Amino acid sequence: MKIGFLQFKPELCKPDENILKVREIISNCKNSYDLLVLPELANSGYLFSSREEALSASDEIPGGNFCRALAEISKEKNAFIAAGISERAGDKLYNSAVLVSPNGDIDTYRKTHLFLDEKVWFSPGDTGLNVFEISGKFGKVKVGMMICFDWIFPESARTLALKGAQIIIHPSNLVLSYCQQAMFTRAVENRVFTITANRTGTEINGDKELYFTGKSVIVDTKGNYLCTAGENDETIMIAEIDPEAALDKNVTAKNNIFEDRREEFYF
Ligand code: ACM
């Protein structure tokens, strides 16, 4: 199975430009893939200064323009596409991720652990951390979604792994410097593959400024970094994996990371 990320710099509050840029990067990539992950808030950018601004760049799932464009790309490429989306649902906004399948199905995850001013613009996610089965010429594979800062809570990846995720899809807008290294641990402690699709660039809005760290990574079940992007690259990187490796939870002949858990000592 071929899995990848698309790293780019979304423009703040310009969803139409952002989908054009995504399309351009995709059309410049000659390699195929079965699953491609885009960054968090790929439609909207990140550093809003008002709720009106946040609303103006949001999309409805599944009928919004950005989602429909992702569905078209998924069909054209015969690949599953996951992306972070600023989601409008009634009078609420969520920091969400969608998983779009070539047959048009869309699954949604709403970010559980909001970071900084996301708490001002977005409602806390209400979907919980769920696993979805995807299928294709690569067979049947279980994938789970978490978004950016969810990584710092080990419970996020652990919940997805305990629910059977073989691959963790991780759209991100990382500003702290730890995550790309920490994904080694999330992958190893759960024996799963992880795809962290980060964004690049600096966003400035009024007197606010944020720098995003790029360096998207794909990590395998034993902590090998299969792909690492540059800090500022706008690119697609792809790794070929055997997702069945994530079904083997034995770290040694006598240690199974799930069966050896001592839940009576945890709280
Ligand atoms: C983050 O959760 N966007 C840092």
Side-chain angles (χ1 to χ4, degrees), residues 28-230:
N28 288 337
C29 173
K30 301 299 166 225
N31 299 320
S32 66
Y33 36 81
D34 302 300
L35 169 65
L36 185 70
V37 184
L38 276 57
E40 180 183 10
L41 298 177
N43 59 334
S44 62
Y46 192 84
L47 198 56
F48 310 116
S49 64
S50 67
R51 184 165 167 85
E52 288 67 41
E53 237 179 45
L55 265 173
S56 75
S58 62
D59 210 53
E60 284 177 334
I61 301 172
N65 286 346
F66 200 86
C67 281
R68 284 195 288 121
L70 292 177
E72 272 171 32
I73 295 171
S74 170
K75 197 171 168 197
E76 278 162 33
K77 300 308 254 181
N78 192 26
F80 289 81
I81 310 283
I85 296 263
S86 170
E87 179 198 357
R88 184 174 66 256
D91 59 358
K92 288 192 171 163
L93 282 179
Y94 293 98
N95 184 338
S96 298
V98 288
L99 174 63
V100 182
S101 68
N103 71 10
D105 289 347
I106 300 194
D107 293 305
T108 305
Y109 164 66
R110 292 172 171 162
K111 188 174 183 177
T112 305
H113 306 96
L114 298 173
F115 182 71
L116 276 175
D117 281 356
E118 292 170 30
K119 293 187 176 188
V120 179
W121 317 124
F122 297 109
S123 299
D126 57 1
T127 53
L129 293 141
N130 296 311
V131 166
F132 307 94
E133 186 173 89
I134 62 175
S135 61
K137 59 184 185 307
F138 51 83
K140 288 187 175 161
V141 175
K142 289 190 173 152
V143 301
M145 292 193 272
M146 63 181 196
I147 300 177
C148 204
F149 193 54
D150 282 332
W151 76 267
I152 211 165
F153 302 88
E155 295 89 346
S156 307
R158 174 50 55 97
T159 299
L160 293 172
L162 286 173
K163 287 186 172 182
Q166 294 160 268
I167 301 172
I168 293 182
I169 290 168
H170 185 211
S172 295
N173 277 189
L174 294 162
V175 293
L176 303 176
S177 60
Y178 323 115
C179 175
Q180 292 90 336
Q181 294 167 70
M183 292 315 289
F184 169 89
T185 306
R186 294 293 166 271
V188 165
E189 70 192 356
N190 293 298
R191 287 180 75 93
V192 293
F193 295 89
T194 63
I195 310 171
T196 299
N198 196 16
R199 61 160 289 170
T200 61
T202 301
E203 247 177 36
I204 300 171
N205 195 349
D207 58 0
K208 293 199 240 176
E209 178 170 335
L210 270 185
Y211 175 73
F212 300 92
T213 56
K215 298 186 199 162
S216 298
V217 290
I218 298 178
V219 188
D220 77 9
T221 60
K222 296 189 174 151
N224 298 301
Y225 280 68
L226 305 181
C227 297
T228 304

Side-chain angles (χ1 to χ4, degrees), residues 246-265:
L247 302 177
D248 173 12
K249 302 300 182 189
N250 297 306
V251 178
T252 72
K254 293 195 170 66
N255 295 101
N256 181 291
I257 53 159
F258 286 175
E259 289 164 13
D260 284 3
R261 295 174 73 233
R262 303 283 309 274
E263 284 183 72
E264 69 272 31
F265 294 129

